[in-house]
Amino acid sequence: MSPVSILLIGFAMSTDAFAAAIGKGAAMRKPVFRDALRAGIIFGVIEAITPIIGWLLGRAALQYVEAFDHWIAFGLLVALGMHMIINGIRPDSGEEDEDPSQHHSFWKLALTGFATSIDAMAVGIGLAFMDVHIGVMAAVIGLCTLTMVTAGIMLGRVLGGMVGKRAEIIGGVILVIIGSTILYEHLHGVA
């Protein structure tokens, strides 16, 4: 997998965390860089661990699905991408937590970080069927997420909900393109 593809996957995996961070930043009274960095580290570590878990699960199944592994990678990436696009298009429910000051507690941040990293676990499963170093991929995903969440928290007060949904749509489109590229390369012998 090319370095550009690795970076694009890292970016795509961090867009839902970025959208959540904008919401968290908007809910915080006056976020300072220290709070934003703390949230970025929490999200980044969780987001880096989950693709490794998915990769291990995928590797365990590799011998059984090797003949059609490219279809699995394509299906997972396209399904996740479409899910992100649909979530980005869907209007917010308008529900708010009752205590906005608690949006930045460790456990709420960790829970939100885990919720936004489920897609990274599924991508990890797909990556098990490809020639990619999972340590590098996990580090890139974690660093992209750390950066995007830190920026998202700081931008949250200014941008609010204006950008969050668009970021998720862009991440979804990137996943669909990468999944389609993987399938095309495999079927046409480009890889």
Side-chain angles (χ1 to χ4, degrees), residues 4-23:
V4 172
S5 293
I6 291 171
L7 190 59
L8 286 174
I9 288 176
F11 171 73
M13 292 294 90
S14 66
T15 56
D16 53 350
F18 177 69
I22 288 175

Side-chain angles (χ1 to χ4, degrees), residues 87-172:
N87 280 343
I89 294 170
R90 183 179 297 141
D92 286 331
S93 64
E95 296 176 13
E96 292 294 323
D97 289 342
E98 61 280 346
D99 186 4
S101 66
Q102 291 301 311
H103 279 257
H104 60 283
S105 73
F106 173 80
W107 292 111
K108 283 202 178 199
L109 288 173
L111 184 61
T112 305
F114 181 73
T116 61
S117 71
I118 296 299
D119 55 349
M121 187 181 302
V123 166
I125 292 170
L127 292 173
F129 307 115
M130 300 169 55
D131 184 27
V132 63
H133 190 284
I134 192 61
V136 171
M137 181 60 74
V140 168
I141 291 171
L143 289 172
C144 285
T145 302
L146 182 149
T147 304
M148 295 289 283
V149 168
T150 302
I153 295 282
M154 296 308 293
L155 291 172
R157 290 215 12 106
V158 177
L159 301 177
M162 184 172 54
V163 173
K165 292 289 191 174
R166 289 184 185 99
E168 196 165 8
I169 292 169
I170 292 168

Side-chain angles (χ1 to χ4, degrees), residues 1 25 27 41 55 68 82 112 153 162 172-173 176 182:
M1 183 174 284
I41 290 170
W55 183 81
F68 51 92
M82 294 305 296
T112 305
I153 295 282
M162 184 172 54
V173 169
V176 169
I182 289 168

